[in-house]
Amino acid sequence: MSGLLGIRPLLLLWGCGCLWLTSPTSGTLVIFEDTEAPEEMSGAPKLLQKRSTNEAMVEVHSVTVDCTVTSRFAHTVMTSVALNKANTSKEIFFEVELPKSAFITNFSMEIEEKVYVGVVKEKEKAKKQYQKAVSSGQTAGLVKASGRKMEKFSVSVSIAAESNVTFVLTYEELLQRKLGQYEILIRVKPKSLVQQFQILTNIYEPQGLSYVDAHATFLSNELLPLVEKTVSDKKAKISFSPTLEQQRKCPGCDGTLIDGDFIVKYDVNRQQGLGEIQIVNGHFVHFFAPPDLPRVPKNVVFVIDRSGSMSGRKMEQTREALLKILPDLHEEDYFALIQFDTRILSWKESLTKATKENVAEGMDYVKTITDLGGTDINSAMLRAINMLIKDRQGNLLPERSIDMIILLTDGMPNSGESRVPTIQENVRSAIGGNMSLFCLGFGNDVDYNFLDVMSKQNKGLARRIFEASDAALQLQGFYDEVSNPLLLEIDLQYPDNAVDYVTTSHFPQLFNGSEIVVAGRLMDNELDNFLVEVVGQGFEEKFNVQGQATVVDWNVMYPDESYIFGDFTERLWAYLTIQQLLQKSESGPSDEKANATAKALEMSLQYSFVTPLTSMVVTKPEEGDEPDSSFIADKLTEEQRQQAERSTPMAFATAVSASRLYGQTMPSPVYLVDGDPHFVIELPERNDSLCFNINNGPGTILNLVRDPETGVFVNGQIIGDKKIPPNGKINTYFWRFGIIHQTLGVRLQVTTQYISVLQDGKEVKLLWADTASLKGPNVDIHVTKDRSLTVTLKGSVKFVILLHKVWKNHPYHRDYLGFYTLDTHLLSPSVHGLLGQFYHGIEYEVTGLRPGESPEKPDATMFAKGQELSVTRGWQRDFRRDIKNGENVPCWFIHNNGSGLIDGVATDYIVSGLFKTV
């Protein structure tokens, strides 16, 4: 469990001053006063001048994180109070990061003694409010993906002069035991000195605490003694409350040391037998993780994607991880290695005993795995399954052992059988419930939902592996979690006449360092005890224990504690039930999916959990003549998180900077031209986009990127419809691009039919009909069949070109291309062109929101590049995640061929040839 708390003041645009972002890439906050604009800029946007945040007169009075953990169920309340000391109203931001596995249960704002409380509603019923807010230019979504494990909740509100606001966010989750411990991770970034700062964690564990550890990434020698830890047999209290002076980076300066992770790790005492069963308030919870069990041998087939998209760092990291995983195999284990692209290659035809000699031989084989070709997941999986079945039937594997497959892939199936439902059914049918499948999805191009469903259908789970410098460690970490099975086919049994609505009670395996949790509702609240039995298959014999569970009286156990939420067993049961129903709604039998979804929705509303089926509607107070506005807090699915990550250029990169500590990702601008032709400048740090069209006739060649300093140039040629449609409007698109790198001597021509690469007088042609990779000393090319082309120029920029295929017999439309630029920071400050001029940021302000011609598309006034522009809130489509339909991107549309936003006029960018550089 984790959380982040931060507050940042934002002065209103229409007040006497403004706190704003100077650059879409830097994220710097600055303040300016109206009186500071030079006279010659009258009527244009004011110059932005840095000022101390003290001048904003907004004080973060208190930040409190209060986390109570009772029997692994964590209830966290984050509270912050901000004061507006100024004599004008100010905009205050409240920002929190919470774990993606947690459910928000409450949010409230107290302003001038009036409390505004969020209400949990069915997602569909909240959808119209969300769309209305987006169309009016507001940031309606309060929750966004943040790194690998977190979600960011943020909201802002206008506070009157000399007033204060209190924000309170509550969320709950069941802590999962991994590698022998539970972890509470609280991320704190108050961004300024805080008058009253406190982190308080209380842990209550009836089994008894075996150890408790607390530390923080920001602790100095002076702050370390401020972490107070009191631990008794079953309780622990950890607190951290630095004074304002102790928070300072240096005497007299305003910087704060409090910036990072506060981490608590612990585990509980365990005894052989039933585990721990607690009965409280008519519900029970059963924790099962017996110690000192011998491990069950495993038979594992590693299925490794070596398609062209795995080229470079991903392939290196995969080999690196395998070279560390293989030596960790126990000698009684058996293993096999299968690599695949369009072909399936097995190291050996049967599994091999993990002797030192065989492991060393397997490691030599791993070193030879190289990337090439397409992605035939179906054939690779069937080869692995058949190998395990054949060896089982031939009695070549230990009788008491577990069969498992670990699949690592980074892309979509595009060779052999490519229909996802068919592959899932083929795998499920072939496995027949007799082995476990673990799927690792590498990077952002992978269809994670496909892997997630397929693994859950086959007694396993899926995990995303993020493209980063620690990818090899991620792979090893996952393997460590599943490398030591202790029990197989575990059943936890309870009297049918005593309990109902029991969560999942059958588990295919129990791994060392993990824990099984079952919860249910008692049919008789007066029940004092009931018989519990646990059966499973161990290494040498059947595991079978039974015993009586008794009711726990928490008032007797903790007489001095005012327990923060005495219904924790019921809420734990509800949390676990909803999580499992959501899984069943995705991967369960088709006849059960609808019922699972309906029940999960019903319970989410009953217990006020923000889940993927519900939204929390937060009503902000009216501001002046403006009515109350509703903002929406959603729960993101893993698929939505992946889509959000794809919205940054780094989604296409082969490596991501190692500087993203703690799983954070730094948003970057995205620059693209796609469609008819629509230019879009996506600015994640502004949570905004700018867009414009360029209307020129067919045959026109436009310069998109021009950087003489680095020698990079990109031009694109427009094509029109086959003939004039009945409405008289001819659509135009880009149908070919010329890419030049003068320094490297590389020239590429990309058309809707082929890709031509010319270097040193030699030409190579690739077709869209094939998945292929081409690696050279100065340029790397990767083609995904009928979908995308990635061009990487050595030490320089990357481009991704999408192919939009249109039905060949369409009476009007043709195939066309979309162009996306990556790693733009590698180009020089003098880069220009229709897209290039925006690569190093754009400063603008939007104000004066007013009704437009369409109710859903309001107009506004934009100040940019010394111009006052009339703009319209609208949408353009981004095709990176859905190449067929695209996704709507809300943006401010600049009319008249981008006039006022682009330098000069559109005709200035016309060039005479596809490879023209002047």
Side-chain angles (χ1 to χ4, degrees):
M1 184 204 70
S2 50
L4 175 148
L5 188 58
I7 291 185
R8 51 193 173 96
L10 178 63
L11 310 190
L12 294 177
L13 270 169
W14 39 87
C16 67
C18 175
L19 188 69
W20 199 248
L21 295 171
T22 63
S23 163
T25 55
S26 69
T28 306
L29 294 175
V30 300
I31 296 175
F32 73 85
E33 299 292 340
D34 281 352
T35 57
E36 293 177 352
E39 293 182 3
E40 62 270 24
M41 289 290 289
S42 178
K46 312 300 185 294
L47 292 178
L48 306 182
Q49 304 290 335
K50 289 190 177 182
R51 290 291 186 86
S52 164
T53 54
N54 291 335
E55 292 182 35
M57 300 300 290
V58 175
E59 176 187 293
V60 183
H61 177 71
S62 66
V63 172
T64 304
V65 184
D66 191 342
C67 177
T68 300
V69 181
T70 303
S71 295
R72 288 70 144 180
F73 195 64
H75 176 95
T76 303
V77 182
M78 294 185 162
T79 307
S80 188
V81 178
L83 311 178
N84 176 15
K85 293 183 174 181
N87 56 8
T88 59
S89 63
K90 306 294 180 186
E91 189 88 353
I92 309 292
F93 274 78
F94 173 74
E95 196 171 87
V96 171
E97 286 196 17
L98 62 150
K100 65 181 183 181
S101 56
F103 290 156
I104 293 174
T105 62
N106 182 60
F107 173 71
S108 66
M109 300 181 292
E110 183 177 348
I111 305 168
E112 297 179 356
E113 298 184 353
K114 184 176 180 180
V115 179
Y116 302 83
V117 181
V119 179
V120 176
K121 295 184 178 182
E122 182 180 353
K123 186 181 290 289
E124 289 303 313
K125 293 184 178 179
K127 194 173 182 180
K128 289 184 178 179
Q129 291 171 291
Y130 176 86
Q131 292 173 335
K132 180 180 179 182
V134 169
S135 66
S136 65
Q138 301 172 7
T139 304
L142 302 183
V143 178
K144 293 179 172 58
S146 180
R148 300 174 185 175
K149 301 178 181 179
M150 312 283 276
E151 292 174 351
K152 181 179 290 185
F153 174 97
S154 58
V155 67
S156 67
V157 64
S158 180
I159 303 301
E162 299 181 354
S163 299
N164 63 66
V165 57
T166 300
F167 298 100
V168 181
L169 180 77
T170 305
Y171 61 86
E172 297 175 351
E173 68 164 332
L174 178 65
L175 300 182
Q176 294 186 0
R177 188 171 185 251
K178 291 184 178 180
L179 301 176
Q181 64 185 12
Y182 309 96
E183 181 179 275
I184 306 165
L185 189 152
I186 300 169
R187 189 159 296 151
V188 285
K189 293 180 178 289
K191 303 180 182 178
S192 63
L193 299 174
V194 181
Q195 292 288 338
Q196 298 175 12
F197 181 92
Q198 182 180 49
I199 299 174
L200 179 63
T201 302
N202 286 287
I203 302 172
Y204 308 97
E205 290 289 354
Q207 285 179 251
L209 294 163
S210 62
Y211 82 93
V212 179
D213 179 56
H215 67 281
T217 58
F218 52 80
L219 287 182
S220 62
N221 291 334
E222 291 74 20
L223 291 179
L224 188 60
L226 302 181
V227 179
E228 299 181 1
K229 183 174 70 172
T230 305
V231 182
S232 60
D233 179 29
K234 299 178 180 179
K235 295 191 293 183
K237 180 178 180 179
I238 301 98
S239 65
F240 176 64
S241 304
T243 65
L244 187 142
E245 290 303 316
Q246 290 168 330
Q247 297 169 40
R248 293 186 189 277
K249 279 188 176 181
C250 57
C253 62
D254 294 333
T256 176
L257 291 167
I258 312 303
D259 185 0
D261 295 343
F262 190 86
I263 303 162
V264 178
K265 297 181 180 181
Y266 77 94
D267 198 13
V268 300
N269 297 321
R270 301 180 188 279
Q271 297 179 349
Q272 289 285 2
L274 281 175
E276 177 73 12
I277 303 168
Q278 298 166 21
I279 304 174
V280 184
N281 294 342
H283 290 78
F284 79 91
V285 59
H286 185 182
F287 302 100
F288 180 71
D292 304 323
L293 291 177
R295 66 182 299 278
V296 176
K298 63 180 180 294
N299 314 306
V300 56
V301 181
F302 296 96
V303 182
I304 309 301
D305 182 350
R306 67 158 197 166
S307 62
S309 56
M310 286 286 290
S311 65
R313 186 65 176 137
K314 282 193 282 189
M315 197 73 257
E316 292 175 14
Q317 291 172 319
T318 298
R319 288 192 295 264
E320 179 185 342
L322 285 170
L323 291 175
K324 293 184 178 179
I325 287 171
L326 292 182
D328 286 340
L329 291 166
H330 292 253
E331 192 154 338
E332 63 271 19
D333 294 336
Y334 282 72
F335 74 105
L337 298 164
I338 294 176
Q339 54 175 314
F340 71 95
D341 48 26
T342 53
R343 299 176 301 160
I344 316 301
L345 301 176
S346 303
W347 171 45
K348 296 186 177 182
E349 294 307 310
S350 295
L351 282 87
T352 302
K353 199 170 192 297
T355 63
K356 289 184 179 180
E357 296 75 16
N358 289 337
V359 167
E361 186 181 343
M363 292 172 68
D364 289 338
Y365 179 77
V366 166
K367 295 174 185 177
T368 68
I369 299 177
T370 55
D371 53 275
L372 182 70
T375 309
D376 189 352
I377 293 177
N378 184 72
S379 298
M381 285 300 305
L382 295 180
R383 173 77 65 87
I385 296 166
N386 290 333
M387 184 183 289
L388 281 164
I389 291 175
K390 178 173 65 71
D391 286 3
R392 273 286 175 200
Q393 292 173 343
N395 297 318
L396 301 178
L397 305 174
E399 180 182 355
R400 296 183 183 275
S401 61
I402 179 175
D403 297 340
M404 65 171 66
I405 298 170
I406 298 180
L407 167 67
L408 171 66
T409 181
D410 78 328
M412 291 280 291
N414 58 21
S415 178
E417 178 57 67
S418 59
R419 293 168 296 179
V420 165
T422 303
I423 297 173
Q424 290 171 333
E425 177 55 30
N426 289 345
V427 170
R428 188 196 61 78
S429 177
I431 285 179
N434 296 317
M435 55 192 77
S436 296
L437 170 62
F438 301 96
C439 297
L440 302 176
F442 204 145
N444 274 322
D445 291 333
V446 71
D447 185 346
Y448 179 78
N449 187 62
F450 156 52
L451 299 180
D452 187 45
V453 170
M454 187 165 66
S455 61
K456 288 173 180 175
Q457 289 175 336
N458 296 285
K459 303 195 299 187
L461 56 90
R463 182 74 56 81
R464 288 184 62 198
I465 302 300
F466 294 84
E467 273 188 79
S469 61
D470 68 340
L473 293 176
Q474 295 176 57
L475 292 167
Q476 290 172 246
F478 174 82
Y479 174 77
D480 289 342
E481 290 181 36
V482 301
S483 62
N484 292 303
L486 304 179
L487 291 176
L488 310 179
E489 305 303 336
I490 308 104
D491 277 300
L492 297 93
Q493 301 170 359
Y494 312 95
D496 291 338
N497 60 352
V499 299
D500 64 358
Y501 293 106
V502 178
T503 61
T504 299
S505 59
H506 173 81
F507 299 84
Q509 62 267 316
L510 170 68
F511 294 106
N512 187 40
S514 66
E515 180 177 61
I516 287 174
V517 182
V518 180
R521 194 169 67 183
L522 300 182
M523 297 173 66
D524 182 0
N525 289 339
E526 301 302 320
L527 181 70
D528 289 330
N529 57 68
F530 65 100
L531 181 67
V532 178
E533 184 175 12
V534 181
V535 297
Q537 180 61 56
F539 172 42
E540 296 178 337
E541 58 185 4
K542 187 175 182 180
F543 182 91
N544 191 322
V545 293
Q546 57 180 265
Q548 297 281 343
T550 57
V551 175
V552 174
D553 188 336
W554 287 90
N555 293 324
V556 173
M557 181 172 292
Y558 302 120
D560 299 327
E561 298 290 342
S562 54
Y563 188 58
I564 193 166
F565 55 121
D567 59 346
F568 87 94
T569 47
E570 181 177 356
R571 296 192 66 80
L572 186 157
W573 164 76
Y575 173 93
L576 199 56
T577 299
I578 292 170
Q579 291 277 30
Q580 293 175 0
L581 286 170
L582 291 171
Q583 289 183 11
K584 187 178 291 186
S585 70
E586 295 177 355
S587 59
S590 55
D591 59 335
E592 296 181 10
K593 289 183 178 181
N595 289 337
T597 300
K599 185 62 178 176
L601 173 60
E602 177 189 337
M603 293 186 65
S604 299
L605 294 171
Q606 179 182 352
Y607 289 93
S608 293
F609 284 138
V610 178
T611 72
L613 303 176
T614 57
S615 298
M616 179 171 284
V617 179
V618 180
T619 300
K620 294 171 58 176
E622 60 183 26
E623 299 176 11
D625 296 331
E626 296 292 326
D628 290 358
S629 60
S630 295
F631 280 41
I632 308 299
D634 285 327
K635 180 68 183 174
L636 304 178
T637 64
E638 194 63 36
E639 185 177 10
Q640 290 170 325
R641 294 175 62 85
Q642 187 179 16
Q643 289 176 354
E645 289 155 15
R646 285 174 178 165
S647 67
T648 68
M650 292 172 292
F652 295 111
T654 55
V656 177
S657 169
S659 64
R660 292 188 195 106
L661 301 178
Y662 324 121
Q664 295 297 304
T665 57
M666 296 297 292
S668 299
V670 180
Y671 311 92
L672 64 100
V673 56
D674 213 329
D676 182 23
H678 308 302
F679 289 75
V680 183
I681 315 301
E682 295 186 20
L683 307 171
E685 291 217 8
R686 292 286 292 264
N687 197 28
D688 207 353
S689 297
L690 308 179
C691 52
F692 57 92
N693 294 348
I694 297 294
N695 298 311
N696 282 106
T700 304
I701 301 175
L702 295 170
N703 173 249
L704 304 182
V705 182
R706 182 172 61 85
D707 190 7
E709 191 171 324
T710 62
V712 175
F713 298 83
V714 180
N715 300 320
Q717 186 171 26
I718 292 172
I719 195 172
D721 284 336
K722 298 175 184 176
K723 60 182 180 179
I724 300 176
N727 63 7
K729 182 187 179 221
I730 295 182
N731 293 295
T732 55
Y733 318 88
F734 282 107
W735 78 279
R736 66 174 183 153
F737 294 106
I739 301 173
I740 310 107
H741 197 306
Q742 290 180 323
T743 307
L744 299 178
V746 176
R747 192 172 80 175
L748 287 89
Q749 181 176 183
V750 184
T751 77
T752 52
Q753 288 85 38
Y754 63 86
I755 300 103
S756 169
V757 185
L758 181 65
Q759 184 173 14
D760 299 329
K762 298 178 181 179
E763 184 179 19
V764 178
K765 275 193 176 182
L766 303 173
L767 299 178
W768 284 105
D770 300 313
T771 292
S773 293
L774 179 65
K775 296 176 70 68
N778 294 322
V779 62
D780 289 348
I781 305 287
H782 176 69
V783 181
T784 299
K785 179 181 177 181
D786 289 336
R787 180 182 176 89
S788 67
L789 164 71
T790 303
V791 179
T792 305
L793 299 172
K794 182 181 178 182
S796 184
V797 71
K798 293 181 185 178
F799 302 113
V800 171
I801 297 174
L802 302 184
L803 172 65
H804 298 273
K805 292 187 71 67
V806 177
W807 179 46
K808 64 180 181 180
N809 293 325
H810 195 286
Y812 308 111
H813 303 326
R814 306 175 188 263
D815 294 350
Y816 64 96
L817 302 173
F819 182 82
Y820 298 73
T821 48
L822 318 177
D823 293 344
T824 54
H825 63 284
L826 296 174
L827 294 174
S828 76
S830 61
V831 63
H832 209 266
L834 278 171
L835 280 178
Q837 63 189 285
F838 301 105
Y839 287 173
H840 293 294
I842 173 74
E843 296 179 11
Y844 69 94
E845 301 169 19
V846 177
T847 187
L849 196 68
R850 55 191 179 274
E853 293 183 7
S854 170
E856 295 182 349
K857 297 182 178 181
D859 290 337
T861 299
M862 173 182 289
F863 295 102
K865 295 185 176 181
Q867 303 287 328
E868 180 177 335
L869 311 173
S870 179
V871 296
T872 300
R873 193 64 176 177
W875 296 269
Q876 295 292 6
R877 285 191 290 175
D878 182 334
F879 291 91
R880 284 170 296 160
R881 295 182 283 273
D882 184 349
I883 199 167
K884 182 179 180 182
N885 302 307
E887 292 184 350
N888 283 338
V889 176
C891 64
W892 291 110
F893 183 81
I894 293 85
H895 302 275
N896 303 320
N897 286 334
S899 178
L901 181 70
I902 66 171
D903 293 335
V905 296
T907 53
D908 295 339
Y909 298 87
I910 296 176
V911 293
S912 58
L914 195 63
F915 296 103
K916 200 73 174 175
T917 59
V918 292

